[in-house]
Amino acid sequence: MKRWLVTGASGLLGLNFALHFASRFQITGVVNHHSLRHPPFEMISADLTYPEMVNHLVETARPEVVLHAAALANLDVCEQHPELAWRLNAEVPAELARVCAQKGIRLVHISTDAVFDGQRGNYTEEDVPNPLSIYAQSKLAAERYVLESHPQALVARVNFYGWSLQGRRSLAEFFFYNLSQGRRVNGFVDVIFCPLEVTQLSEILVTLVERDCQGLYHVVSRECLSKYAFGCALAERFGLDASLITPVSVNKSQLRAPRAPNLTLSTAKLQAVLGEVPGQREGLERFYQHYREGRATYLRGMALDAEHLQA
């Protein structure tokens, strides 16, 4: 399967996926209202919320696989604009699933670990979600819409980090850029997650497609840690001052949307396919090596309008 349509191609996952596989696949990236500077793949600017836009894009690109990575992913913005969140995060995936099912196109839909309330942890794909925020509610609705319309689709619940177009898309960048400037930051000790490095995630998604995996998968690291511990591990790998990270409770934050505290997900189903699921050390090492290779600078140089980018 060589022809991929990637929505959200200026976002953290979409752009890194497209760059990582540009020499292997024929990729068409969909961006919203702006362009990228000299991307090594075909690019289409389109607003996915327009009526019939999804069908038009699929007809134009004629993909064998669609990676749907576009979303309104800022939790607090979703709380402020619930109708927009529902349109982008639930209705658009439903439309895409219907079109892909009708045309026999493989669909990879990106969901989130935030569909759970985080009261227990170690969630499997069979556990019943309980989303706390507008963002999480809209993403859970999308999972159901997608699998109802396109049972052969792959729905991946994820949490990931990496270098982005803006330098502001991931927790890893937040810690790196602040610590590099000697700025103090907070790290939540009571929010546990299992993040993957974004190119590792990209490779796993392709493997799942190539092995004809369908349905719901938890695609996260096999190892979980607090956001505070993640920041400290990143600081250690980059030789930065971890003492600048203040351990705090998420309850002390001023965040608008509620956050689930324990989002540890079981990767047993994923491991049965892969045999080995990446841990935290491997992910941070790849993140570090990408920095040494100039990935962060390269990506930021692709931005034409860095102040108004949206996946």
Side-chain angles (χ1 to χ4, degrees):
M1 295 186 180
K2 297 296 186 182
R3 297 193 308 277
W4 286 66
L5 178 67
V6 178
T7 70
S10 64
L12 178 56
L13 173 56
L15 180 55
N16 277 281
F17 182 97
L19 292 174
H20 197 63
F21 288 110
S23 61
R24 179 175 169 185
F25 301 136
Q26 178 185 323
I27 291 177
T28 301
V30 181
V31 298
N32 186 21
H33 296 315
H34 68 279
S35 298
L36 301 170
R37 183 179 284 111
H38 307 307
F41 53 86
E42 184 178 350
M43 182 174 61
I44 299 175
S45 180
D47 186 340
L48 295 174
T49 66
Y50 284 4
E52 296 300 317
M53 180 57 73
V54 165
N55 188 66
H56 172 72
L57 287 172
V58 172
E59 288 284 353
T60 300
R62 305 186 68 80
E64 296 169 276
V65 189
V66 174
L67 171 61
H68 183 52
L72 184 60
N74 185 304
L75 272 68
D76 294 331
V77 173
C78 288
E79 294 294 317
Q80 294 174 297
H81 304 283
E83 291 184 1
L84 177 60
W86 196 263
R87 175 69 184 134
L88 283 170
N89 294 346
E91 294 177 358
V92 168
E95 293 170 9
L96 188 56
R98 286 195 294 270
V99 171
C100 288
Q102 290 167 1
K103 299 180 182 299
I105 297 168
R106 291 295 308 274
L107 173 61
V108 181
H109 174 71
I110 301 302
S111 188
T112 173
D113 57 357
V115 297
F116 295 107
D117 60 18
Q119 296 303 305
R120 193 198 75 201
N122 197 33
Y123 296 103
T124 71
E125 289 84 352
E126 286 72 39
D127 285 321
V128 178
N130 182 33
L132 300 179
S133 64
I134 296 295
Y135 168 72
Q137 291 163 14
S138 65
K139 294 294 283 185
L140 178 60
E143 290 185 4
R144 293 168 175 166
Y145 293 159
V146 166
L147 291 175
E148 285 171 3
S149 296
H150 196 344
Q152 290 74 43
L154 171 66
V155 174
R157 289 177 179 155
V158 302
N159 195 305
F160 57 95
Y161 65 91
W163 301 107
S164 71
L165 201 63
Q166 298 168 288
R168 299 196 300 269
R169 286 295 183 92
S170 71
L171 184 63
E173 291 176 307
F174 167 80
F175 280 122
F176 173 78
Y177 286 118
N178 279 290
L179 297 179
S180 296
Q181 295 298 316
R183 292 191 289 263
R184 296 200 65 86
V185 295
N186 291 333
F188 298 142
V189 296
D190 50 359
V191 176
I192 313 299
F193 70 147
C194 319
L196 274 174
E197 191 276 330
V198 68
T199 60
Q200 290 179 323
L201 170 59
S202 299
E203 291 166 0
I204 291 172
L205 293 174
V206 169
T207 297
L208 292 174
V209 169
E210 290 176 339
R211 297 186 184 180
D212 198 30
C213 294
Q214 303 170 6
L216 185 61
Y217 279 81
H218 289 170
V219 187
V220 293
S221 172
R222 70 174 187 271
E223 296 176 334
C224 307
L225 72 175
S226 73
K227 293 193 172 182
Y228 170 73
F230 178 78
C232 291
L234 183 146
E236 179 182 358
R237 185 64 192 91
F238 280 85
L240 300 171
D241 185 1
S243 71
L244 291 170
I245 307 173
T246 302
V248 299
S249 169
V250 68
N251 297 322
K252 301 292 185 181
S253 72
Q254 302 300 313
L255 299 171
R256 178 186 296 266
R259 264 65 171 181
N262 186 351
L263 289 179
T264 58
L265 305 186
S266 169
T267 56
K269 185 177 179 180
L270 181 65
Q271 186 173 335
V273 177
L274 300 181
E276 182 74 21
V277 177
Q280 293 303 321
R281 185 177 297 275
E282 302 100 293
L284 279 175
E285 183 61 30
R286 186 177 291 198
F287 184 69
Y288 174 76
Q289 291 302 327
H290 285 169
Y291 180 76
R292 293 287 302 271
E293 295 163 4
R295 177 73 60 90
T297 302
Y298 171 70
L299 286 173
R300 296 184 77 170
M302 293 182 72
L304 291 180
D305 185 8
E307 294 303 313
H308 300 93
L309 295 180
Q310 181 182 346

